[in-house]
Structures are given as structure tokens and as C-alpha cells.
Amino acid sequence: MKGEARKAAIAAYKDRTIATGVYTLRFAGEDRVWVGGAKDLSGIENRQRFTMRTGGHPRRELQAAWKEHGEAAFSFEILETLDLPDDVTDFIRTSRLEDRVAHWREALSATPV
């Protein structure tokens, strides 16, 4: 039974729908906004928070604000989920994502994540 359950879990993982989209991290203290994109939104919030908790975020100004003000001063929000067909190529997925990230950065006067 263990082998069958494992196979079923692997199949379910492979068949999951992957949401691609744009997200923001906001710092409430100074209305600072960072915008990023992810091909798979399902774990991006945890990934960003983990990286900042461990002090290894590549955006130094974001990491510094996190260190100074703490996790509670930040919020995470998904701004947009791209409506792409399942069979879209990685090139097209990346291109559309880059376009939408650029749009949101300009619209919000945001810094890249």
C-alpha cells in the first residue's frame, strides 16, 4: 500500500495546476513596495519570507527593512494570476510574466523583488 500511495501522491503533484503570476511585498512603515513574478506562485510567499528570516535575501534594502522592522511590518499579496493554457511554452510563459511584472512595477512605482 505504501508504494501505491506514494505513486498516487507523485501523480497528483505532476497533475497539479501551476499558477503563474505577479506578487508584491509591502512595507507598511514607509509605503515601500517590491514587485516580483513567479512561474509557480504556490510557494513564493514562504520562499521570500524564509530568505529574509535567514538573512539571505538578494535585495539588500528589502533585507535591511525586514531586519530593522520585523516580519509583522510586511504584507504579501498576489496582484495577478496569468490565465495561460496548460500547453503554453516556457518561453511564452516567461515573456508574459515579464510583461506583467513590468506593468505592475510601473503602476505601483515599485522596486523589483
Side-chain angles (χ1 to χ4, degrees):
M1 275 306 202
K2 267 188 170 179
E4 290 175 23
R6 184 174 190 276
K7 286 180 185 178
I10 291 170
Y13 177 80
K14 288 181 179 179
D15 290 341
R16 79 192 190 290
T17 301
I18 297 174
T20 298
V22 183
Y23 65 93
T24 183
L25 287 166
R26 294 179 188 267
F27 173 54
E30 299 171 10
D31 290 332
R32 292 169 64 188
V33 180
W34 291 266
V35 170
K39 290 182 186 176
D40 185 357
L41 287 170
S42 66
I44 194 67
E45 180 178 8
N46 286 339
R47 211 169 311 135
Q48 291 293 332
R49 289 182 184 278
F50 175 80
T51 304
M52 288 186 283
R53 278 186 205 122
T54 59
H57 202 281
R59 287 281 172 203
R60 301 232 185 260
E61 70 278 5
L62 177 57
Q63 184 67 59
W66 180 278
K67 184 177 180 181
E68 184 177 345
H69 301 284
E71 185 170 354
F74 287 84
S75 64
F76 176 87
E77 177 187 0
I78 294 175
L79 296 171
E80 179 179 2
T81 302
L82 303 183
D83 186 22
L84 300 170
D86 292 338
D87 62 345
V88 71
T89 65
D90 193 48
F91 176 79
I92 292 171
R93 181 180 303 278
T94 300
S95 177
R96 290 276 313 277
L97 181 58
E98 288 172 355
D99 290 345
R100 297 310 299 159
V101 168
H103 163 79
W104 282 105
R105 282 185 186 148
E106 184 177 332
L108 299 173
S109 299
T111 305
V113 171

